[in-house]
Amino acid sequence: MAEQVALTVKDLEKVFPLRRGLFARPQGGVRAVDKVSFQLKSGETLALVGESGCGKTTVARILAGLEQPTGGTVVLSGKELDFASKETPHILRQTNQMVFQDPYATLNPRMTVGQSVEEPLIVRRYAGDRKQRVRELFAAVSLGEEMIDRYPHQFSGGQRQRIGIARALASDPKILLCDEPTSALDVSVQGQVLNLLKDLQQERGISYLFISHNLSVVWHISQQVAVMYLGKIVEIGSREAVFLETAHPYTKALLAASPKVAPGQSRERIVLSGEVPSPLNPPSGCRFHTRCPFAKDICREAEPSLQDLGAGHHVACHFAGKM
């Protein structure tokens, strides 16, 4: 039986126009997301990794209905979405929910956490007993009923993140868009939240788009990994393929800069020179060539396309597997 695809993203683009004045015409733009494509299977986790500013969060915000894409297509549960329609953001928010990096910033300090979790039920016009549903959601994230009437400042960071997850689950989503959900937490609390996410996935069949800089966390929670650089995916495949059969020099550099996380993972040392180029004026050819120790003339002249190395492992490099 073929695995069901929860989400398909094809050639997704987002350009933020630049203006010198409030009423001035756009003068160029920042191409935050450039022709990004991937599939997310039901009940699985796809991790998006890369340096800050590479476009990971923008992808998640588009899929959450918080940003309008400039181009590309999104197919949700087999249905292609029309971003020109006013209904599309509502469809996205019913199916996809975000779990943000800072749980305290997402909770209203003047509302009890129970009211915050109940709010999506009111918006969705939930027909059942809302109070009972809130109790069920708190139980799902291992929080007691006695906490429902407390305020956000009365909780630890890990507890607040659990409340954020409970609120995201209130609309019964098929996909959770997790934007660095553990980066602000202590290591021991990170493990608790990750195990909670894995348990919820197993119980409810939820799919995760998981954004993280922490490659140990990525190895622990994901089945698929996509590596982004300056708005583009440069390597994508199974967790084992990306970590153990790494083919792109940027991915190798990321792995070399992190503690060894996977059994059998090689430790090839790659030192990158220079800074990440500006997305206002990205380099010609391969966008990574200005920092790549293996760059040749063709890298400066021609942009590489994603090559299929087999078993769903794709790499955008002219010398993939030859370094």
Side-chain angles (χ1 to χ4, degrees), residues 195-214:
N195 288 332
L196 170 64
L197 289 171
K198 293 185 76 171
D199 291 343
L200 289 171
Q201 186 174 60
Q202 189 171 10
E203 293 167 7
R204 298 169 179 248
I206 302 173
S207 304
Y208 296 145
L209 181 67
F210 194 92
I211 296 170
S212 181
H213 290 95
N214 190 325

Side-chain angles (χ1 to χ4, degrees), residues 50 174 178:
K174 295 180 181 178
C178 303

